[in-house]
Amino acid sequence: MRSDTAHLTATPAPARLLSLLREDVRCVFGRDPAARNTWEVLTTYPGVHAIIFYRIAHALWQRGWRYSARLLSFIARLATNVDIHPGARIGRRLFIDHGAGVVIGETAEIGDDVTLYHGVTLGGTTWNTGKRHPTLGDHVVVGAGAKILGAITLGARVRVGANSVVIKNVPADHTVVGIPARPVRRHSPVLAANDGVNLDHHLLPDPVGHTLNCLRERIDALECELVGLRAAAAADSHTLSGRKPATVKDCLAHTASACPDCTFQPEVERTLC
């Protein structure tokens, strides 16, 4: 199966490198409404600075200037708080919003038009050499604080909810959330009608909240059923003792001391449907 990032260039020529840098700057205007002009983006966006440093360091890395590439990446980390290994393979128009605390490992691969928010980690889970970092397809959106760990693959147009921990492959067009992350939605479009990236990644279902609501409804139903069974048992008790059969209302109208044969307590009334 062909990788979603197979189209990534290995060693960009100077003209190609300059074209990539222009695209990295221009893509900000489509994904950040706070961006006003090119000068502002070039001088105040640490995510853009990190990508510029990475493009240059990656070119050095591919040409065998490994120490120079690592030194440049270290300087970029000090300046931007974004740690991108020069050996990573990154496609066109990557946007790192805010840029704080983003980590991209050596063997990570990122497709085109990917958006990463602050605190995202593309990390490894082994000390062995070889492929040990994630592969992200085109148009992937990763929410703030999410961790994607191991040599796994996220298909095209995948969305990762904020603070999720992804440790398994995710098929294309899925949304994952949680620790560990699980698919919660399919066929959720990432591309807007104008072919721009839809950044409404906060519109995610809450599987934990849904489960708790179901459990609460089930408990309420069981409590109602229990009240009915107790009412039936109390009625049978009154019948055997020669008294008039009691209803639930009759039993709840008495205290345990006033109605010793009644098994109900006044506080049970709050559980009635």
Side-chain angles (χ1 to χ4, degrees), residues 48-273:
V48 173
H49 301 159
I51 293 299
I52 293 174
F53 277 111
Y54 159 77
R55 300 288 187 197
I56 301 172
H58 182 67
L60 294 173
W61 181 270
Q62 294 289 61
R63 288 168 173 78
W65 296 78
R66 300 298 173 89
Y67 176 76
S68 299
R70 289 302 303 269
L71 181 60
L72 184 58
S73 295
F74 175 71
I75 295 172
R77 179 182 178 182
L78 294 178
T80 65
N81 197 25
V82 176
D83 188 357
I84 306 178
H85 194 285
R89 299 176 62 199
I90 297 178
R92 300 163 59 186
R93 297 179 296 275
L94 171 66
F95 177 49
I96 303 176
D97 200 2
H98 299 291
V102 171
V103 177
I104 301 176
E106 177 185 7
T107 61
E109 300 177 56
I110 300 176
D112 296 340
D113 300 295
V114 171
T115 301
L116 307 179
Y117 285 84
H118 53 282
V120 168
T121 297
L122 307 184
T125 56
T126 177
W127 290 346
N128 298 328
T129 58
K131 177 66 172 173
R132 59 189 185 278
H133 295 95
T135 296
L136 275 59
D138 297 341
H139 302 286
V140 171
V141 178
V142 184
K147 315 300 177 187
I148 306 174
L149 306 176
I152 60 177
T153 300
L154 276 62
R157 298 171 298 280
V158 164
R159 290 188 177 192
V160 180
N163 293 317
S164 299
V165 178
V166 187
I167 56 176
K168 295 182 180 179
N169 294 335
V170 181
D173 299 299
H174 279 65
T175 296
V176 294
V177 64
I179 303 176
R182 293 181 174 86
V184 294
R185 180 181 293 165
R186 191 165 181 253
H187 57 70
S188 55
V190 172
L191 298 181
N194 59 357
D195 291 332
V197 178
N198 181 357
L199 298 179
D200 289 334
H201 62 292
H202 63 288
L203 302 178
L204 298 177
D206 183 3
V208 176
H210 176 71
T211 301
L212 292 176
N213 287 334
C214 291
L215 289 173
R216 185 176 61 184
E217 292 174 359
R218 180 59 178 165
I219 291 173
D220 290 343
L222 291 174
E223 287 182 343
C224 290
E225 183 177 351
L226 180 60
V227 168
L229 292 174
R230 286 180 173 177
D236 291 341
S237 175
H238 282 76
T239 301
L240 291 175
S241 62
R243 300 177 184 177
K244 179 183 177 181
T247 64
V248 175
K249 183 176 180 182
D250 295 333
C251 291
L252 292 177
H254 298 80
T255 63
S257 59
C259 184
D261 294 330
C262 180
T263 60
F264 290 96
Q265 298 299 324
E267 58 269 17
V268 177
E269 187 175 6
R270 295 195 300 268
T271 68
L272 293 177
C273 294

